[in-house]
Amino acid sequence: IGGLGLKKLPMIVMMSAPYFLLGLFLTDAAALPRGGIAFAIVMLLGALYAFYLAKTDCSGHRIVFWCMVLKLCNVPVFLLIFLVAAGFFVMMLPLIPFLVLFDYFLLLSTSMYGISGLLKCGKEGRLSGKAVAMNIVLQFVFCADVLSAVYCCFKTREKADSNE
């Protein structure tokens, strides 16, 4: 997939943004509103970048690969939120709306890479129209989005290898 280039910077920032926000929450809760706004901007710009990539010479497989990487990097964040919320449920009740918002921001922003990559893979003939449609739906379902991203990355890789 290549070395670390400027084209990859938005994805790298998106990978680290949830961890910075959680670190901010644990160390300086007063700065959390500003951190939340910065997080939202990073994730929104990153989501838009997914569709920009589709307009460049970036292959559908590469975009789906980044979708998979982003989603797999978010698994520890989701597990941590789940464990903390389960362990301190009563104290976490006031935070639930913010946690839901945080979770959906992560899901939707990374799913844009899946959608963009899937559409491009469909145009490239790497996936059937039915597979593209089904996996786009899965990109909006927690947990299924990760499985879909992994499946699509390996499925498009097989096609890429057999076509080259």
Side-chain angles (χ1 to χ4, degrees):
I1 298 292
L4 187 62
L6 198 54
K7 281 185 175 180
K8 297 174 179 100
L9 185 62
M11 286 81 80
I12 293 166
V13 172
M14 283 181 73
M15 276 187 261
S16 57
Y19 294 97
F20 282 119
L21 188 62
L22 285 178
L24 192 60
F25 175 72
L26 295 173
T27 59
D28 186 11
L32 202 53
R34 289 187 309 259
I37 291 168
F39 170 77
I41 291 169
V42 163
M43 300 313 274
L44 208 63
L45 291 174
L48 293 172
Y49 187 70
F51 291 99
Y52 167 77
L53 280 177
K55 303 245 185 253
T56 67
D57 62 346
C58 191
S59 71
H61 168 71
R62 186 168 295 204
I63 300 169
V64 170
F65 167 80
W66 279 107
C67 173
M68 178 186 73
V69 169
L70 287 166
K71 288 184 179 294
L72 289 174
C73 286
N74 288 337
V75 168
V77 172
F78 285 117
L79 287 175
L80 180 65
I81 289 171
F82 174 77
L83 291 174
V84 170
F88 302 100
F89 181 72
V90 175
M91 293 182 287
M92 296 297 287
L93 283 175
L95 295 177
I96 287 178
F98 299 106
L99 293 174
V100 168
L101 187 63
F102 176 78
D103 288 351
Y104 274 105
F105 245 105
L106 281 179
L107 173 78
L108 295 175
S109 61
T110 57
S111 291
M112 295 306 114
Y113 282 84
I115 293 166
S116 174
L118 286 164
L119 292 172
K120 189 144 186 186
C121 283
K123 286 179 186 173
E124 295 170 349
R126 294 176 190 248
L127 289 172
S128 69
K130 192 175 183 180
V132 169
M134 181 184 70
N135 283 286
I136 284 176
V137 170
L138 292 175
Q139 288 297 308
F140 293 101
V141 180
F142 281 108
C143 298
D145 64 324
V146 179
L147 297 175
S148 167
V150 171
Y151 167 80
C152 291
C153 186
F154 283 99
K155 188 70 172 173
T156 59
R157 175 93 184 200
E158 293 168 9
K159 286 266 191 178
D161 290 344
S162 66
N163 290 341
E164 293 175 7

